[in-house]
């Protein structure tokens, strides 16, 4: 998992987060609908940020690893609940900043409050663009945009080819697209037949990225938005 460098302001949160929790694969840091207790700073390991959509499928919004924040800005509401879940997919450790401590910290540090607001805005932009692709272009658009985001986060270029330096199952991709594994199987098969991608032991190589971008009318958003983290 790539490491994301926090801004100088948000690094102050790492100093304030004295409460540590061990992350065990398969468990949750928090789940959708639970009372929001605070923010989590991932020190090691990886979590998937997921949401159950109306058709009952699990939609993976992003993956977060070392140096990233997970949680929900709704914690500042009186009766707040998490609006998504954080499922642990790789063992590690997280630091917790309880709601009361965070509120006090932000009252005393306006620069930190502004940077946290900017962070929250960026996460919302990422989620909006992902949902936009799903709504406007359906399951195919969701898969193509996911591959593009993966190429920005994990892509290793070699000429015109981009190898994704992370192993993903078809079920993983299905969760990113909010659909079934069978649907993903068919779409990946079509992409392989047309030599748009190839797959070797779970590692995907994209041979024709412009095709994927053209199919979803890609707006070439900044990588800060068009990524899987």
């Amino acid at each position: 998992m790539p490491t994301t460098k926090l801004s100088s302001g948000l690094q102050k949160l790492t100093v304030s987060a004295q409460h540590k929790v061990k992350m065990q694969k398969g468990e949750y840091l928090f789940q959708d609908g639970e009372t929001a207790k605070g923010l989590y700073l991932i020190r090691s390991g990886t979590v998937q940020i997921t949401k159950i959509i109306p058709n009952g499928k699990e939609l993976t919004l992003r993956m977060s690893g070392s140096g990233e924040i997970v949680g929900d800005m709704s914690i500042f509401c009186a009766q707040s609940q998490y609006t998504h879940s954080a499922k642990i997919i790789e063992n590690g450790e997280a630091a917790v900043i309880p709601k009361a401590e965070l509120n006090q910290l932000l009252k005393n540090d306006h620069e930190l409050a502004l940077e946290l607001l900017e962070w929250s805005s960026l996460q919302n932009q990422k989620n909006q663009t992902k949902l936009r692709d799903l709504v406007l272009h359906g399951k195919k658009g969701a898969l193509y945009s996911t591959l593009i985001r993966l190429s920005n986060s994990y892509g290793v270029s070699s000429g015109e080819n981009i190898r994704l330096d992370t192993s993903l199952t078809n079920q993983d991709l299905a969760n990113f697209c909010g659909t079934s594994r069978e649907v993903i199987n068919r779409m990946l098969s079509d992409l392989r037949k047309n030599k748009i991608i190839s797959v070797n032991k779970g590692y995907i190589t994209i041979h024709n990225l412009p095709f994927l971008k053209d199919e979803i009318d890609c707006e070439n958003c900044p990588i800060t938005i068009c990524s899987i983290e």
Side-chain angles (χ1 to χ4, degrees), residues 109-175:
D109 192 332
H110 294 169
E111 179 184 349
L112 176 60
L114 178 59
E115 294 205 30
L116 191 59
L117 183 61
E118 290 175 347
W119 168 82
S120 178
S121 176
L122 179 61
Q123 302 312 312
N124 287 334
Q125 282 183 280
K126 289 181 179 180
N127 292 340
Q128 287 170 6
T129 56
K130 185 177 181 65
L131 294 174
R132 175 202 64 196
D133 292 335
L134 180 58
V135 170
L136 294 181
H137 302 287
K139 306 303 182 186
K140 182 180 290 187
L143 175 61
Y144 290 7
S145 66
T146 294
L147 291 173
I148 294 168
R149 288 182 172 87
L150 285 166
S151 74
N152 288 332
S153 296
Y154 295 99
V156 178
S157 297
S158 176
E160 295 182 355
N161 299 325
I162 302 174
R163 183 178 186 271
L164 303 185
D165 193 24
T166 185
S167 177
L168 294 165
T169 67
N170 287 6
Q171 186 60 58
D172 291 331
L173 291 172
N175 290 345

Side-chain angles (χ1 to χ4, degrees), residues 129 132-133 136-137 141 144-149 151-152 208-223 225-227:
T129 56
R132 175 202 64 196
D133 292 335
L136 294 181
H137 302 287
Y144 290 7
S145 66
T146 294
L147 291 173
I148 294 168
R149 288 182 172 87
S151 74
N152 288 332
N208 192 344
L209 186 63
F211 170 85
L212 299 177
K213 290 185 174 184
D214 289 344
E215 286 292 299
I216 63 168
D217 300 318
C218 179
E219 297 177 0
N220 291 310
C221 298
I223 292 180
I225 295 175
C226 188
S227 66

Side-chain angles (χ1 to χ4, degrees), residues 32-59:
D32 194 352
E34 288 183 355
T35 299
K37 299 176 182 178
L39 293 179
Y40 292 80
L41 301 172
I42 309 301
R43 293 184 178 275
S44 61
T46 308
V47 300
Q48 281 183 340
I49 306 304
T50 64
K51 178 75 177 178
I52 302 300
I53 54 180
N55 65 5
K57 300 294 183 182
E58 184 179 67
L59 177 64

Side-chain angles (χ1 to χ4, degrees), residues 13-45:
L13 292 175
T14 65
V15 178
S16 304
Q18 301 300 319
H19 308 276
K20 309 295 192 304
V21 294
K22 292 293 184 182
M23 302 198 314
Q24 298 295 323
K25 183 177 179 179
E27 297 180 355
Y28 288 84
L29 281 178
F30 54 83
Q31 294 193 59
D32 194 352
E34 288 183 355
T35 299
K37 299 176 182 178
L39 293 179
Y40 292 80
L41 301 172
I42 309 301
R43 293 184 178 275
S44 61

Side-chain angles (χ1 to χ4, degrees), residues 170-183:
N170 287 6
Q171 186 60 58
D172 291 331
L173 291 172
N175 290 345
F176 276 114
C177 301
T179 189
S180 67
R181 186 181 60 188
E182 291 73 21
V183 170

